[in-house]
Amino acid sequence: MTFLSLSEEKPHVCPVDVTEMALYSLFRSVRSELGKACLAQHQSIYTSCPSFGADKALLLKLRKSTGYTFINCKKALEKFNNDITQAERWLNEQAQKEGWSKASKLEGRKAKEGLIGVVMNDNSAVMVEVNCETDFVARNEKFQQLVKDVALSVMAHHKSQRHTGYVKSLLSYDDIAKLHLPEGPSLADQLALTIGRLGENIGMRRAVSLGVPSEWHIGAYVHGAVPGQVGMEMGHYGALVVFNGGSKEGTETLGRKLGQHVVGEAPVTLGNMDDIPCGDSETRLLPQTFLPDPKYTVGQYLTLHDARVLDFIRFQRGEKTQVE
């Protein structure tokens, strides 16, 4: 009897197993080809209908011009296929809607910071107070633009009335909110837009407009002035002083000194030229010691310059007023 060694033993392969292996290999091949075809089709569809990303240069430009976050600017550019005009319009609309919503939520929060704005135009002057919650926001360009918008809108309204003689108009928030920017939205809408951008409670608290005859003058002074403003001044305190007389060459300087005194000494009433001073507790303007030149009272300094104060008004950021 002959025995085969283990090394010589030949394996037995079932025909059925060979068939299954062949089918499995064919299945894998077909599946691979189908996968490639699907991927190619997907890439073709994607290429034919591209999704535009935000252009980097336009993104930076939109961010700088609007002040909105990079995320919102990117979203706007992608939404309008890098059309920066439509993107900015959409951002403003969204900010305004969000601003109205935020304004109602933030209404009860204290807003004692902010700026006083003063603008002069011929024989007219306007002073406004716009408040916010923090000094950080008061230094923001968008907030300062709102202060400018309010002041210029009040001035435009004042000019449209065509008054004669001496006119002094005090405006509350309700009065200011109804005014419009030249060929633009209402100040109420502009306020909502700014709240949406900055996320703080902001209030257009009050304003005053003055108009005087040609022979009268308006002196103005702003303390703690914000640098870099063109066409107006902004700061923490402001004063307007109506006076007549004085030398023609020195009326601007005299008006500024009178405004500086009103800001610094905070008189309450005008008083009379012959009033006797009551020392440091004096609240009448004319008998007070003149701040820029303490050798004189205000009345004495005016006499020296052949001038007379007729009226004045002082704003201090965040102060309580008689109506509050």
Side-chain angles (χ1 to χ4, degrees):
M1 181 179 294
T2 304
F3 293 94
L4 293 174
S5 67
L6 292 175
S7 60
E8 293 175 330
E9 187 177 356
K10 296 181 180 180
H12 175 72
V13 179
C14 178
V16 177
D17 292 340
V18 173
T19 304
E20 287 180 352
M21 290 177 64
L23 287 174
Y24 177 71
S25 177
L26 178 63
F27 173 75
R28 289 185 62 184
S29 177
V30 171
R31 185 174 65 177
S32 175
E33 291 301 319
L34 284 173
K36 291 179 182 179
C38 290
L39 178 62
Q41 183 180 15
H42 174 73
Q43 290 175 338
S44 175
I45 293 173
Y46 181 81
T47 305
S48 63
C49 301
S51 176
F52 290 100
D55 181 89
K56 186 175 181 180
L58 291 177
L59 178 59
L60 292 173
K61 183 178 179 181
L62 186 61
R63 170 74 173 89
K64 184 176 180 180
S65 65
T66 64
Y68 298 121
T69 64
F70 276 109
I71 293 175
N72 287 332
C73 290
K74 182 174 181 292
K75 180 179 179 181
L77 287 172
E78 290 175 346
K79 182 179 179 67
F80 295 99
N81 294 336
N82 288 316
D83 186 324
I84 193 169
T85 301
Q86 290 191 58
E88 182 171 354
R89 185 184 302 116
W90 181 79
L91 282 170
N92 287 337
E93 290 172 353
Q94 297 305 307
Q96 186 171 308
K97 291 177 183 177
E98 185 178 350
W100 280 115
S101 176
K102 281 186 178 180
S104 62
K105 295 177 182 177
L106 302 176
E107 190 174 4
R109 284 165 47 168
K110 291 183 179 180
K112 296 296 184 181
E113 299 295 328
L115 290 170
I116 306 299
V118 173
V119 61
M120 310 284 286
N121 189 311
D122 297 328
N123 290 337
S124 300
V126 162
M127 184 162 60
V128 304
E129 179 182 2
V130 182
N131 300 118
C132 56
E133 295 180 46
T134 64
D135 189 55
F136 176 77
V137 164
R139 296 194 299 269
N140 186 282
E141 290 182 1
K142 301 300 180 185
F143 179 82
Q144 292 172 9
Q145 182 60 50
L146 176 64
V147 178
K148 189 172 185 177
D149 289 342
V150 172
L152 294 179
S153 297
V154 173
M155 177 62 80
H157 174 71
H158 171 77
K159 289 287 189 180
S160 70
Q161 303 302 302
R162 301 185 181 277
H163 298 294
T164 58
Y166 176 47
V167 178
K168 178 180 180 180
S169 300
L170 298 172
L171 289 80
S172 66
Y173 165 79
D174 291 334
D175 300 320
I176 299 169
K178 296 174 184 176
L179 302 180
H180 283 71
L181 294 171
E183 300 179 0
S186 69
L187 286 179
D189 287 340
Q190 194 68 7
L191 173 64
L193 179 63
T194 307
I195 291 174
R197 286 173 168 175
L198 301 180
E200 277 196 9
N201 187 22
I202 298 173
M204 303 179 295
R205 189 181 187 197
R206 54 179 170 166
V208 61
S209 62
L210 302 177
V212 300
S214 58
E215 65 273 15
W216 291 16
H217 315 287
I218 303 175
Y221 176 73
V222 173
H223 184 72
V226 176
Q229 299 300 317
V230 179
M232 69 176 301
E233 291 186 89
M234 299 180 195
H236 297 165
Y237 301 80
L240 299 175
V241 182
V242 178
F243 67 101
N244 62 9
S247 61
K248 292 182 179 180
E249 296 78 14
T251 53
E252 184 175 346
T253 300
L254 176 59
R256 182 173 178 80
K257 286 182 176 180
L258 291 169
Q260 184 180 4
H261 174 90
V262 169
V263 165
E265 296 298 325
V268 177
T269 59
L270 184 59
N272 297 303
M273 294 294 285
D274 56 356
D275 284 338
I276 299 174
C278 295
D280 294 340
S281 62
E282 181 63 71
T283 59
R284 297 166 297 176
L285 172 64
L286 295 176
Q288 285 181 329
T289 300
F290 190 47
L291 187 63
D293 196 342
K295 297 192 301 291
Y296 306 98
T297 64
V298 175
Q300 290 168 346
Y301 194 84
L302 290 168
T303 300
L304 189 65
H305 289 81
D306 194 25
R308 183 165 65 103
V309 170
L310 305 166
D311 198 4
F312 68 90
I313 188 163
R314 177 185 185 272
F315 279 4
Q316 177 179 335
R317 176 191 64 177
E319 68 181 343
K320 288 186 177 181
T321 62
Q322 293 179 349
V323 298
E324 294 176 327

